[in-house]
Amino acid sequence: MTSSAPHGTYDFVIAANRLPVDQQVQPDGSTAWKTSPGGLVTAMESVMKGREAAWVGWAGVAGEAPEPFDDDTLRLHPVPLSTEEHNEYYEGFSNDTLWPLYHDVIVPPTFHRTWWAAYRRVNERFAEAVCEVAAEGATVWIHDYQLQLVPAMVRDRRPDLRIGWFDHIPFPPVELFAQLPWRAQILRGLLGADFLGFQRADDARNFARSCRAVLGATAKGEKVEWAGSDDGRIGAAPRTVRAAAVPISIDASGFRELADSPAVRERAQAIRASLGDPEVVLLGVDRLDYTKGIRHRLRAIGELLEEGSIAPPQVTFVQVATPSRERVEAYRMLREQIEGTVGRINGDFSHLGDTAVHYLHQSYGREEMAALFQVADVMLVTPLRDGMNLVAKEYVTARHDGKGALVLSEFTGAAEEMRNHVYLCNPHDITGLKETILRAINDNPEEKERRMKALRRRVRTHDVQAWASAFLSALASAPERPTRKEVR
Ligand code: ADP
Ligand code: F6P
């Protein structure tokens, strides 16, 4: 393993599957840049504002990558993916093997050796790009499940770097993780980092247990020690790393300011009026993903309508479903199921001018999202499993009037922090979910305001800047915990 790889000039390097902006091909063949989808970019965009750094990532279209370019203080360094790699690394191994495996096997994961080969190859390319831009002794922050081999691949080339990795999604229990034919390689890849951050303490524990069971590592508290191996493969050196929870959050002050602006307030009023000024607006906002529990939510809404517990025009449900991973079979099926269900519900329960379910399969700007949150009397966040769920945190932050109610699944990372003040639900329990929705609608206003105040305070004091500081301090002092003074 060589440490003579070429050095770059950046002291701080981010590596994530996507760049913060996505290149999109327009119908007329021209290209435009748009903010990339998902919670990772929402969070990291605000953390990186004004920082000098390089961001290594894919530009969102298969084929040749654009040349590196500057976006304010950030150097964006695109990594190319061929069409085949897009199919095998991104849609295949990342989103049809790891994604379902790491989300409680809600749909069965697919294991293909060709996908694994592509995952390795693309991770190698990311590692090379990181080494190319990183200065001697730089800090490298690698993100998420798409890049789990990159920490060891970078360390093998550049032992001078300080390497952190953050897992935006859950880390599965060893009983599920053990299904992965390449489980040992993934763990060795991750152990290349100095510090591994997870959304929940349970995720960090699942990782440590997997290292013990699969690699024979020792795990004491938050420290994992691996004796290494003399097989000469990736990540063979002995390692001591720290794995701990650092829950992600949102740019609370930025989003609060946006939500409080006259334009957003006006837009919220206009949206409410266009819905026919209902007494109660229920809202769901998710990427169209089977982990988000949209089918369970619709089942509960359908039954409440059938029983007459809710009815338009007094109560209406708005579901915003962001298009996501549309060529992966499980996502295609989900879309068909959801759109079929929405059609059936509306056929049965809407009247001319009074729609039971408004379904929007579109992406919106931040202002429109903030306005939608302000219209929602009850926000339905019902994932079957979710690493964190930033929508929950955005919703309470947008409610500057202190009103509204959050129905939140216990299977989200957000529930760890918010469980005492939300209307907590188990989305698998449809009867319980219906009761919880009705409770959130009918609870007295003083109780709702008390809960909302506590939720807003929590997000305000645990925002994305606090998350980034906690992560970077932990990385700087790993494998030891940072002392109180070291926390930036
Ligand atoms: P995930 O990372 O799984 O997509 P999160 O809830 O953590 O889930 O983050 C989703 C992010 O995407 C949030 O910032 C949310 O506001 C944003 N978002 C969700 N749906 C849309 C949409 N239709 N248009 C624009 N932004 C959206
Ligand atoms: O954190 C979850 C996540 O998978 C991110 O890695 C990703 O940016 C986002 O959701 C959206 O998914 P995709 O990049 O596959 O569109």
Side-chain angles (χ1 to χ4, degrees), residues 39 42 285 287 292 320 322 362-364 366 390-391 394:
T42 303
V285 170
R287 262 184 319 100
K292 302 289 183 184
V320 179
T322 323
Q362 291 164 47
S363 284
Y364 297 100
R366 308 293 299 152
L390 293 184
V391 164
E394 289 170 353

Side-chain angles (χ1 to χ4, degrees), residues 17-18 37-40 90 95 99 144-146 168-169 287 324-325:
N17 175 56
R18 284 184 188 275
L40 186 161
Y90 170 71
N95 289 323
W99 182 268
D144 233 356
Y145 62 102
Q146 300 97 337
H168 290 255
I169 70 172
R287 262 184 319 100
S324 186
R325 305 170 190 167

